[in-house]
Amino acid sequence: MTTTDTTRTGPADALAGAFAGLFGRHPDGVWQAPGRVNLIGEHTDYNEGLVLPFAINRSTTVAVAARDDRTVRLASGFPDAEPAEFDLDTFTPDQAAGWSAYPAGVAWELERAGVTVPGFDLFVSSDVPVGAGLSSSAALECAVALALSDLTGAGLGRAELADIGRRAENNVVGAPTGIMDQSASMLGTKDCAVYLDCRDLSSRPVPLGLEEAGLLCLVIDTKVSHAHASGGYAERRASCVRGARAMGVGTLRDLGAADLPSAERILDEKTFRRVRHIVTENARVARTAELLGTLGPLAIGELLDASHRSMRDDFEISCPELNLAVDAARTNGAIGARMTGGGFGGSAIALVPVNDADRARSAVLAGFAARGLPAPDVFAVLPAEGARRL
Ligand code: ADP
Ligand code: MG
C-alpha cells in the first residue's frame, strides 16, 4: 500500500508555471493547505464540543499575485471549475457562484475583519478529492486565507485564519459548518492530531504514533455525494439546538453522561438520540486523546467503532455504503473503523495494521462489487503538517 510523498517542491514550480501561462506573470508566492480526516468527534464542533481531526498529506495549493487594482481573477485546475472575476469594491455574497464563493468569501471576510485586501490573481490546484468528506473546501479556504494574510502583511494568527475560512463557508458559500475542518487544516502538525475544544477554541497537538504502532489510516471514499449546505446537516444542527433548549442549557457541551436519564424523560425519542450522540461522542474524543497519550493508537479501536455505531443508530448520518465500508474493513484486519466527516456519504476511515492493509482494501472492494455498487477509492493517508507557504 503506497502513500503520497509529502514533499512539494515540484508541484510548487509546476503551479507557478501554470499561473504564469494563465496570467502572463509570476506569482508572488505559492501556499498550500491540507485536507483533513476526522479521527473522532463528529458534529460536536457546532455544539461547542471536542474534536480530534488531523491534517492529511493531500492538499490544495494556490499561486497568488497581488494586483494594483481591486480586481480578483480566479482560476482552478479542476475541469468543471469555470474561471471567475469580480471587483472587491462591489462584491456581495449573493454574487458568488460555484467554487469561486470559497476564495471570494475568504477575501470578503478578511475585509470585514478589517484587513485591506488588494486585487489579486489566483490559480488553484488540489489533490484533495472533492465532496469525499476530506474537506477540500477548508483546504481551499485555508490556502487562500494564509496567502492573503501573508501578502497583505495582516499577520493574523492561525486560529483567526481558520475562523475567516469558516465565516467564508457559512456566510458566502452558505454552508452552516463548524470550525473543525479549518482548524485541522491551519493547526495540523506532522504525525499529530489536533485536539480542539470548540468551546474556548483551545487546542493542542496529540501525537498519533501510527507508524510506531505499525498502523495505517485507510480512507475509503464511497463516492456517495453528500449535501452539507442543505438537508441532513442543517437538520441535525437544528435538532441539537432544540435539544439544548429543552434541557435548559446553552449548548449540548453543557450536558454529560449523568444528564442522559433526565434527557430521556424530557426529550422526544429522536431528539434524545441526537443528544445522546453528542454527549457520548464528546466523552469518546476525550478518552481517545487520553489513550493516545498512554497506550497509543492500538488502544482506540473500540472507541472508533462505538463512534460509528452512535452515528449510525443515534445521529443517523451514516448510509449503507459507509456501513458496508466500515464492516468490511473491520472484519478484515482493521482494529477500528468509522465514517468521518459530515455524513450522508463521503468517506470512512479504518485503522489497519500495515500487514493487513491489502486484505482490508480488497475486502472492501469485493463487498462493494458484490452489491453492484461503484468501486470506492481506498487509499492511505498520513498525518501531515498544516497550511504553509512553499
Ligand atoms: P468537501 O469539503 O467534503 O470536499 P464540499 O462540498 O464542502 O466537499 O466542498 C467541495 C467544493 O469546494 C467543490 O464543489 C468546489 O466548489 C470547491 N473546491 C474545492 N477544491 C477546489 C479546487 N481545487 N478548485 C475549485 N474548487 C474547489
Ligand atoms: Mg467541505
Side-chain angles (χ1 to χ4, degrees):
M1 185 118 285
T2 54
T3 51
T4 324
D5 186 1
T6 46
T7 54
R8 295 262 160 203
T9 349
D13 292 339
L15 191 68
F19 180 97
L22 205 66
F23 296 113
R25 61 190 181 129
H26 290 294
D28 295 335
V30 175
W31 289 262
Q32 184 172 68
R36 65 96 189 94
V37 143
N38 189 19
L39 185 62
I40 194 161
E42 222 64 74
H43 286 253
T44 44
D45 60 350
Y46 58 77
N47 288 297
E48 296 191 349
L50 303 171
V51 294
L52 193 59
F54 62 90
I56 59 175
N57 57 329
R58 296 268 187 141
S59 42
T60 296
T61 312
V62 297
V64 188
R67 298 169 54 94
D68 297 333
D69 56 16
R70 296 269 290 167
T71 300
V72 173
R73 294 192 293 174
L74 304 166
S76 167
F78 280 11
D80 53 352
E82 291 292 320
E85 183 170 331
F86 65 91
D87 189 308
L88 281 165
D89 288 325
T90 55
F91 177 81
T92 52
D94 53 319
Q95 277 175 34
W99 78 278
S100 69
Y102 296 86
V106 168
W108 193 69
E109 287 293 351
L110 276 170
E111 291 231 303
R112 292 219 301 171
V115 178
T116 303
V117 178
F120 59 93
D121 294 333
L122 178 146
F123 182 71
V124 50
S125 139
S126 180
D127 66 355
V128 186
V130 162
L134 303 184
S135 216
S136 68
S137 56
L140 178 55
E141 290 149 12
C142 291
V144 176
L146 188 64
L148 294 180
S149 172
D150 278 1
L151 279 178
T152 55
L156 295 182
R158 284 180 173 259
E160 286 172 285
L161 291 175
D163 203 48
I164 292 287
R166 177 192 62 79
R167 278 156 25 202
E169 187 141 354
N170 294 170
N171 302 330
V172 181
V173 176
T177 55
I179 190 65
M180 171 173 71
D181 301 350
Q182 295 82 2
S183 300
S185 186
M186 288 305 309
L187 303 173
T189 50
K190 193 169 183 295
D191 297 329
C192 291
V194 180
Y195 182 82
L196 176 71
D197 183 331
C198 299
R199 166 157 276 179
D200 61 13
L201 296 182
S202 61
S203 67
R204 65 181 166 88
V206 175
L208 283 164
L210 296 181
E211 200 178 343
E212 297 87 323
L215 289 175
L216 273 184
C217 180
L218 288 188
V219 168
I220 303 153
D221 174 6
T222 65
K223 313 264 193 76
V224 178
S225 67
H226 59 84
H228 263 185
S230 56
Y233 188 98
E235 197 273 329
R236 294 305 182 279
R237 213 176 154 142
S239 227
C240 290
V241 170
R242 248 194 339 271
R245 195 173 299 143
M247 290 297 292
V249 292
T251 70
L252 294 183
R253 176 63 183 279
D254 296 316
L255 301 179
D259 299 306
L260 288 177
S262 65
E264 190 165 18
R265 282 193 304 275
I266 292 166
L267 303 172
D268 66 86
E269 190 268 341
K270 198 167 161 192
T271 308
F272 169 65
R273 283 188 290 110
R274 305 298 190 241
V275 168
R276 181 165 61 186
H277 166 70
I278 300 299
V279 170
T280 58
E281 187 79 347
N282 279 329
R284 282 186 290 269
V285 176
R287 182 73 184 138
T288 301
E290 192 180 304
L291 284 175
L292 284 169
T294 53
L295 299 175
L298 288 164
I300 68 170
E302 167 50 29
L303 288 161
L304 302 187
D305 294 344
S307 172
H308 184 76
R309 288 194 298 270
S310 179
M311 292 186 284
R312 185 191 62 195
D313 303 334
D314 274 357
F315 218 59
E316 295 181 285
I317 52 172
S318 192
C319 63
E321 294 86 349
L322 284 168
N323 296 335
L324 173 61
V326 163
D327 293 343
R330 195 63 183 80
T331 47
N332 288 278
I335 64 154
R338 62 187 286 278
M339 54 148 283
T340 185
F344 312 102
S347 296
I349 55 166
L351 286 190
V352 191
V354 174
N355 292 335
D356 291 317
D358 285 330
R359 175 163 68 101
R361 180 172 184 276
S362 306
V364 169
L365 292 174
F368 275 68
R371 282 161 190 77
L373 296 167
D377 265 344
V378 186
F379 52 92
V381 290
L382 298 175
E385 198 181 334
R388 66 206 167 110
R389 185 174 190 160
L390 295 186

